[in-house]
Amino acid sequence: MRMRNKTIRHLSLVLALMLFAGVLAACNNGSGGSAQGSEQGGTSENKGDKVTLQFYMLGDAPKDLPVIESEINKLAEADLNVNVKFNYTSWTDWDQKYKLLLSSGQPIDLIFTADWTFYQSYAKKGAFLALDEMLPKAAPALKAHVPDDMWDAVKINDKIYTVPSTWIEYVTEGIAYREDLREKYNLPKPESLETLEAYLEGIKANEPNMIPIADSNANHTHGIRQLTSKLVNTAGQLPYGLDIMYDTPSTVTSYWGSAQHLEDLKTYKRWMDKGFFPKNVLNVKDTSNSLLQNGKAAVVLSGENPNKFNADVIKVQSTHPDWKLAYFPYPNAKGFAQPVHPIHNGFAIPRSSKNPEKALAFYEKLVTDKRYNWLTEYGVEGKNFEVDNNGYYKMVGDAQTNGFPREGMNGWAWRNPEFMLYDKTFDDVLTMFEDLDKIKKPDIFTGFAEDWTPYQAEKAALEQVEKQYLYPLNVGLVADVEAGLNTFMEKAKQAGLEKIQSEYTKQWQEYLKSAGIQ
């Protein structure tokens, strides 16, 4: 999964990194946790003193989390002599909170990592403890569970800093939309820029009280790029307005300020004029998925991968069984798909941890012990879920009454293929995965670890320029698009865009050379 459709409010990166540097210095002087100075937590013979582990996950906690936490702690106390406190950031400003968690020095024992949380960069800067020596001692079953090639894939500077999920999936994005409304009003399937616009026009004309596009904070732009760049195979969402094409990865160009960028911005202006975005789109607090699920919007263009789409289907079926959702994967437009990289979902032990071995021993239980795994992925059997005669997951109640829906803890990282339960609707996703397998190519991008230290001040300044000048362009709020783009480019260059792009390109090309990618 990449950065979700959440409200983004940037914390000053300079301050965060200054704090982070101070934390590292303190840790290196002995005030932080270290692998050598902690109790062994993985064997019943040597449980050590009872401790409480601080576990951090992104997103919003499910209503029944206290129940799940209590049940988990009954098991963890007996098996490992630990309690676990599950903490959540909420999706509002999650990125700001994540930076602060890793820079404040507060004790954290386990934290979610992903490519979209900048695992590679944080690992390179020393935010996490290396696990290579701890794994065989504290979590031998976990070490054996993860294939060697996955351990190798998550290494940064030849060290393991996160435990990857072993479930192979596709998190390539796509267009989620109301299929029942498409059928009702005889609209085209939104599978190209032209048919998407025609679909949105039909929604606006026939459902005037519905928001055609749910995406807030301009996240739809990544989705549109998947359509407008399909002939040149743009892979993924790159920072700083850069373009790197899959077939010619050593060639780096700037999308920002290009003719294609101007054309796309004119499209967004036309869409605002047609009423596809609400006028207050940059201040919408609801997530795109909730707007789709609640019937307030018709389309989600970015952040909607097959797993998230299936979750939308389950919720909609439980509350509005007469509605139908459909999905168009962007790889079908681009011509290729990339299976998820092992870095995409993982858990790391921050350098501030006081109990790293016990944390790793507990995480081993989450992954390899069915009792822990089912509790944290599906809830309490009989209360939150049931398993039908065909082995399918079945929610108890509906999305409104159930306090712990499937994967309610956002436990993507500790999915275990041997234990996974699927709703029957997931058969469609598995079929989609089979189709994507036919056009798959290796992920050559996620292994790259950006080091923004040489331009950290410029990066922070650029983030503010984007928010002030680019976001309004992305939702069509600037009357003169070309003049607005020129202003944005001028301000971006003043913030240090050219320095950032040059240094990023240098690091990227060095990565290609070291990885043997042509």
Side-chain angles (χ1 to χ4, degrees), residues 413-433:
W414 62 90
R415 291 167 174 152
N416 185 331
E418 296 178 17
F419 303 149
M420 287 181 73
L421 295 174
Y422 301 102
D423 185 278
K424 193 175 190 314
T425 60
F426 206 81
D427 287 349
D428 293 336
V429 176
L430 296 177
T431 299
M432 193 184 306
F433 284 179

Side-chain angles (χ1 to χ4, degrees), residues 289-512:
N289 296 88
S290 66
L291 291 171
L292 181 69
Q293 294 163 10
N294 296 333
K296 296 180 180 179
V299 167
V300 175
L301 297 178
S302 187
E304 189 74 356
N305 61 55
N307 256 315
K308 290 185 68 178
F309 172 70
N310 184 66
D312 289 339
V313 170
I314 293 173
K315 290 184 179 180
V316 165
Q317 287 187 349
S318 70
T319 54
H320 300 281
D322 54 323
W323 295 0
K324 289 170 62 178
L325 299 181
Y327 183 78
F328 174 71
Y330 287 128
N332 289 357
K334 295 200 305 176
F336 74 98
Q338 297 174 93
V340 70
H341 192 282
I343 284 174
H344 184 71
N345 285 317
F347 256 84
I349 299 176
R351 185 169 286 272
S352 62
S353 172
K354 303 296 184 183
N355 309 284
E357 282 93 351
K358 285 198 171 187
L360 200 55
F362 172 74
Y363 196 73
E364 177 182 70
K365 290 291 188 182
L366 276 188
V367 176
T368 65
D369 189 313
K370 185 177 179 180
R371 299 170 301 162
Y372 290 74
N373 191 268
W374 271 26
L375 269 172
T376 53
E377 294 287 19
Y378 313 116
V380 177
E381 189 169 5
K383 172 180 170 58
N384 302 112
F385 77 99
E386 297 172 348
V387 181
D388 71 14
N389 294 333
N390 295 314
Y392 286 112
Y393 165 93
K394 183 179 179 182
M395 178 187 290
V396 173
D398 58 34
Q400 304 303 318
T401 62
N402 189 295
F404 196 96
R406 184 179 181 275
E407 296 189 343
M409 284 182 66
N410 299 343
W412 318 298
W414 62 90
R415 291 167 174 152
N416 185 331
E418 296 178 17
F419 303 149
M420 287 181 73
L421 295 174
Y422 301 102
D423 185 278
K424 193 175 190 314
T425 60
F426 206 81
D427 287 349
D428 293 336
V429 176
L430 296 177
T431 299
M432 193 184 306
F433 284 179
E434 292 175 1
D435 291 338
L436 293 173
D437 274 338
K438 299 173 184 176
I439 56 172
K440 70 179 178 182
K441 293 183 179 182
D443 181 351
I444 64 172
F445 290 86
T446 307
F448 172 59
E450 175 193 1
D451 178 7
W452 59 65
T453 304
Y455 47 87
Q456 62 188 37
E458 290 85 359
K459 176 180 169 67
L462 182 61
E463 288 174 345
Q464 297 306 313
V465 169
E466 285 185 67
K467 186 175 181 180
Q468 184 175 353
Y469 295 98
L470 183 60
Y471 280 18
L473 281 165
N474 285 340
V475 291
L477 291 174
V478 178
D480 188 332
V481 175
E482 188 166 1
L485 177 57
N486 290 336
T487 298
F488 165 67
M489 292 302 297
E490 178 184 349
K491 298 294 184 181
K493 290 177 180 178
Q494 290 174 2
L497 175 63
E498 292 173 335
K499 176 181 177 181
I500 295 172
Q501 289 183 333
S502 176
E503 177 61 29
Y504 186 97
T505 298
K506 176 183 174 183
Q507 291 183 27
W508 168 255
Q509 291 175 339
E510 289 173 352
Y511 159 73
L512 292 179

Side-chain angles (χ1 to χ4, degrees), residues 17 23 27 29 48 69 115 145 152 169 237 248 260 267 269 271 279 302 321 342 351 390 398 442 457 484 494 496 500:
L17 286 169
V23 171
C27 290
N29 287 327
E69 184 172 279
D115 49 331
H145 170 76
D152 290 339
E169 59 176 323
Q237 186 176 17
T248 55
Q260 184 63 61
T267 296
K269 176 65 170 66
W271 286 6
K279 295 293 184 181
S302 187
R351 185 169 286 272
N390 295 314
D398 58 34
Q494 290 174 2
I500 295 172

Side-chain angles (χ1 to χ4, degrees), residues 5 37 49 57 185 191 223 227 234 297 354 413 490 513:
N5 298 338
D49 296 332
M57 190 62 212
Y185 301 121
E191 298 180 350
L227 297 175
T234 296
K354 303 296 184 183
E490 178 184 349
K513 184 177 180 180

Side-chain angles (χ1 to χ4, degrees), residues 141-206:
L142 183 62
K143 178 67 167 65
H145 170 76
V146 178
D148 288 341
D149 62 337
M150 287 190 169
W151 287 124
D152 290 339
V154 301
K155 286 182 177 179
I156 302 296
N157 294 338
D158 207 35
K159 292 288 185 181
I160 297 169
Y161 293 99
T162 194
V163 180
S165 171
T166 59
W167 187 57
I168 298 175
E169 59 176 323
Y170 285 89
V171 294
T172 45
E173 298 180 350
I175 301 172
Y177 60 95
R178 286 284 298 274
E179 170 67 6
D180 58 313
L181 297 181
R182 188 195 70 79
E183 293 176 344
K184 180 178 180 180
Y185 301 121
N186 193 29
L187 304 176
K189 292 184 177 182
E191 298 180 350
S192 68
L193 193 62
E194 294 74 23
T195 56
L196 171 60
E197 186 160 354
Y199 176 91
L200 295 168
E201 287 175 339
I203 294 296
K204 185 63 181 177
N206 294 287

